[in-house]
């Protein structure tokens, strides 16, 4: 037996206890967890500080790792929302009686044991646990070593609440932070029903390549915003700045601005004051570089080919001048990670074309890509943003943590 096999076996056994909880019991459990997190906010911050002390503050992961009292309150609020959402399990999707008199029902049922691999994001620990428990699933968490103190304390709080409700603590299991256990988890087909990687592109690709357990990708975000010739430039500048600087370390932040040549000379100088305030490093194509330079912007680099299609996760972005919608659409098709894309325009046919043709999990007109989030979408929380097309796409949240089961109810029917 491998070192983590007993942990996985225990989680699989605990999944049955989670399935037996009623919807009201699951609601009460999650509300109780919200109470506990609120009461323990000071200690959570203290444990998180131990993790932060080990990380360089200039590391892009630092912001993802950081838990403040306001962020903990955000987690508490998210738990309250998850508790109020409809239980996705037990829903009858099809109910019919076939010719032989056999009644058939297709119902929504929990996935079983959900394995999640993630990096320096301790909030994911709470999000995943609450969504899995609300949907009747057990979960196995493999967090990064950067967040180990935070994750262990949070899982301890969650397991104490499980015990209060008579559910085995193994229903939410935290694996050791060592990378060595990843391969064991990815091949644990007897105990884990699905794997969800959440983190860098390299992590996601590693899981895709090596997992024997079915995988749902929550992809890296290479997000574009196209400023079309008819855009309201004041609104466009505010949206671009928001998408880049409001929280650059997350996957829905802006990575590349595409600007119509017809408005580039007017629009790009409108970004300089805010970009300078946030010390945004711009990787600009030749034309954009000249415009920024004339506007006095100095935090500037000539764009290299690999700056397009790059997820910066920092106060950095690429800027490219395009001749119009066709070139913008072509660029996005080439470089998008199919996460979130936006057009800023007042030309309705162009907007309609963009919304119709861009292949991404979320596509916006005249709004920031930062809205791609389970909480913003009214889903309470999310495990990640799925960029694939099977089973789930977009915020992977409560209603997608189920699969289907057929039930046949007969009275002696046989088939020859």
């Amino acid at each position: 037996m491998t070192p983590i096999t007993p942990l996985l076996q225990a989680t699989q056994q605990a999944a049955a206890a989670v399935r037996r909880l009623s919807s009201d019991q699951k609601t009460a459990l999650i509300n109780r967890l919200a109470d506990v997190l609120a009461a323990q906010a000071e200690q959570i911050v203290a444990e998180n500080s131990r993790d932060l002390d080990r990380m360089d503050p200039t590391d892009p992961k630092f912001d993802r790792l950081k838990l403040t009292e306001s962020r903990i309150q955000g987690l508490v609020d998210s738990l309250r929302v998850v508790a109020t959402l409809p239980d996705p399990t037990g829903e009858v999707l099809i109910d019919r009686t076939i010719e032989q008199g056999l009644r058939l029902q297709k119902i929504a049922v929990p996935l079983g044991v959900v394995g999640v691999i993630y990096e320096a994001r301790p909030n994911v620990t709470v999000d995943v646990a609450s969504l899995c428990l609300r949907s009747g699933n057990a979960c196995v968490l493999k967090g990064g070593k950067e967040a180990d103190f935070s994750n262990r304390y949070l899982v301890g709080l969650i397991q104490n609440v499980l015990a209060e409700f008579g559910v085995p603590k193994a229903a939410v299991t935290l694996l050791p932070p060592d990378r060595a256990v990843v391969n064991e988890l990815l091949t644990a087909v007897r105990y884990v029903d699905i794997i969800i990687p959440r983190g860098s592109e390299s992590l996601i690709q590693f899981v895709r390549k090596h997992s024997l357990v079915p995988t749902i990708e929550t992809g890296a975000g290479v997000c574009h915003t196209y400023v079309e010739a008819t855009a309201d430039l004041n609104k466009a500048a505010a949206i671009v700045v928001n998408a880049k600087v409001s929280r650059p370390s997350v996957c829905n932040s802006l990575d590349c601005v595409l600007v119509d040549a017809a408005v580039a000379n007017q629009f790009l100088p409108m970004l300089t004051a805010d970009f300078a305030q946030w010390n945004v490093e711009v990787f600009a194509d030749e034309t954009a570089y000249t415009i920024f330079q004339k506007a006095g912007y100095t935090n500037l680099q000539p764009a290299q080919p690999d700056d397009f299609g790059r997820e910066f996760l920092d106060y950095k972005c690429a800027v490219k001048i395009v001749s119009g919608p066709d070139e913008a659409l072509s660029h996005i098709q080439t470089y998008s990670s199919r996460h979130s894309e936006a057009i800023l325009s007042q030309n309705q046919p162009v907007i309609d074309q963009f919304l119709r043709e861009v292949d991404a999990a979320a596509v916006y007109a005249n709004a920031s890509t930062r809205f791609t989030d389970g909480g913003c979408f009214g889903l309470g929380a999310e495990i990640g943003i799925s960029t694939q097309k099977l089973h789930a796409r977009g915020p992977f949240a409560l209603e997608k943590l189920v699969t289907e089961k057929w039930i046949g109810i007969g009275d002696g029917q046989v088939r020859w």
Side-chain angles (χ1 to χ4, degrees):
M1 287 173 59
T2 60
I4 65 169
T5 296
L7 298 176
L8 301 181
Q9 288 176 322
T11 303
Q12 185 185 54
Q13 292 166 4
V18 180
R19 287 194 295 271
R20 286 194 291 269
L21 292 173
S22 69
S23 180
D24 287 345
Q25 286 174 317
K26 288 184 281 189
T27 295
L29 189 156
I30 293 169
N31 277 324
R32 172 61 180 151
L33 179 58
D35 293 339
V36 169
L37 257 62
Q40 296 297 319
E42 185 176 343
Q43 187 58 40
I44 294 170
V45 169
E47 293 296 320
N48 181 245
S49 295
R50 299 174 71 187
D51 289 321
L52 293 173
D53 288 342
R54 302 182 299 172
M55 182 179 284
D56 182 351
T58 64
D59 190 319
K61 291 181 180 178
F62 189 87
D63 180 63
R64 290 186 171 198
L65 175 61
K66 188 174 185 179
L67 290 177
T68 62
E69 293 204 9
S70 64
R71 288 184 179 182
I72 294 166
Q73 184 58 50
L75 288 173
V76 170
D77 294 341
S78 174
L79 288 170
R80 303 281 189 212
V81 173
V82 170
T84 66
L85 294 175
D87 188 341
T89 61
E91 180 183 356
V92 178
L93 306 172
I94 293 176
D95 190 342
R96 65 166 64 116
T97 301
I98 62 176
E99 181 181 355
Q100 295 85 351
L102 181 67
R103 184 182 180 187
L104 293 175
Q105 290 183 321
K106 183 167 74 170
I107 63 172
V109 296
L111 290 167
V113 176
V114 177
V116 182
I117 304 172
Y118 54 109
E119 295 171 330
R121 292 287 296 269
N123 63 296
V124 173
T125 302
V126 176
D127 289 342
V128 171
S130 65
L131 291 170
C132 285
L133 293 170
R134 181 64 179 139
S135 55
N137 295 287
C139 60
V140 175
L141 307 174
K142 169 58 184 73
K145 64 181 184 300
E146 302 92 345
D148 190 44
F149 289 116
S150 305
N151 287 337
R152 279 191 283 153
Y153 189 75
L154 289 168
V155 170
L157 296 178
I158 294 166
Q159 291 180 336
N160 289 340
V161 172
L162 290 172
E164 289 181 26
F165 283 77
V167 178
K169 291 183 177 182
V172 177
T173 293
L174 180 67
L175 296 180
D178 313 307
R179 290 187 178 183
V181 307
V182 172
N183 284 324
E184 299 173 30
L185 177 61
L186 297 181
T187 57
V189 293
R190 292 182 58 188
Y191 308 113
V192 181
D193 295 288
I194 197 163
I195 293 286
I196 304 169
R198 177 168 178 173
S200 65
E201 181 68 14
S202 61
L203 168 65
I204 293 162
Q205 293 307 319
F206 180 88
V207 172
R208 286 187 65 185
K209 182 177 180 180
H210 294 94
S211 182
L212 300 181
V213 180
T215 301
I216 294 177
E217 297 175 40
T218 59
V222 179
C223 303
H224 299 79
T225 296
Y226 169 42
V227 182
E228 192 265 338
T230 65
D232 180 319
L233 297 186
N234 289 318
K235 291 180 180 178
I239 289 170
V240 166
V241 170
N242 169 263
K244 181 64 268 179
V245 309
S246 61
R247 199 170 177 197
S249 66
V250 295
C251 59
N252 57 27
S253 63
L254 172 66
D255 294 293
C256 181
V257 188
L258 303 175
V259 183
D260 209 307
V263 295
N265 282 297
Q266 182 181 357
F267 178 70
L268 293 181
M270 298 172 66
L271 301 177
T272 57
D274 286 321
F275 272 16
Q277 179 185 346
W278 292 94
N279 198 30
V280 176
E281 185 175 11
V282 174
F283 297 80
D285 73 359
E286 186 176 356
T287 305
Y289 189 97
T290 300
I291 295 171
F292 274 115
Q293 202 171 41
K294 288 181 179 178
Y297 197 72
T298 58
N299 198 358
L300 196 59
Q301 301 290 339
Q304 304 303 313
D306 59 1
D307 290 324
F308 300 108
R310 177 179 169 190
E311 185 182 29
F312 289 99
L313 300 175
D314 202 350
Y315 291 100
K316 302 178 181 181
C317 72
V319 177
K320 180 178 176 60
I321 307 304
V322 295
S323 59
D326 288 343
E327 186 178 356
L329 288 166
S330 177
H331 182 95
I332 291 171
Q333 182 177 354
T334 301
Y335 294 103
S336 173
S337 66
R338 294 172 172 79
H339 188 293
S340 300
E341 309 292 359
I343 182 173
L344 312 180
S345 172
Q346 296 183 90
N347 184 325
Q348 194 60 49
V350 171
I351 291 173
D352 292 342
Q353 179 188 12
F354 189 94
L355 297 179
R356 182 175 60 249
E357 295 185 10
V358 169
D359 182 13
V363 187
Y364 298 91
N366 297 312
S368 170
T369 57
R370 287 280 287 111
F371 282 100
T372 307
D373 175 83
C376 284
F377 280 19
L379 303 174
E382 69 189 36
I383 291 182
I385 306 297
S386 171
T387 55
Q388 65 180 37
K389 298 183 180 180
L390 296 180
H391 185 74
R393 199 178 194 199
F396 184 44
L398 187 68
E399 82 282 2
K400 291 300 183 181
L401 282 165
V402 294
T403 185
E404 300 167 351
K405 179 196 291 187
W406 285 92
I407 291 176
I409 303 170
D411 186 25
Q413 285 88 346
V414 296
R415 181 185 180 191
W416 292 95

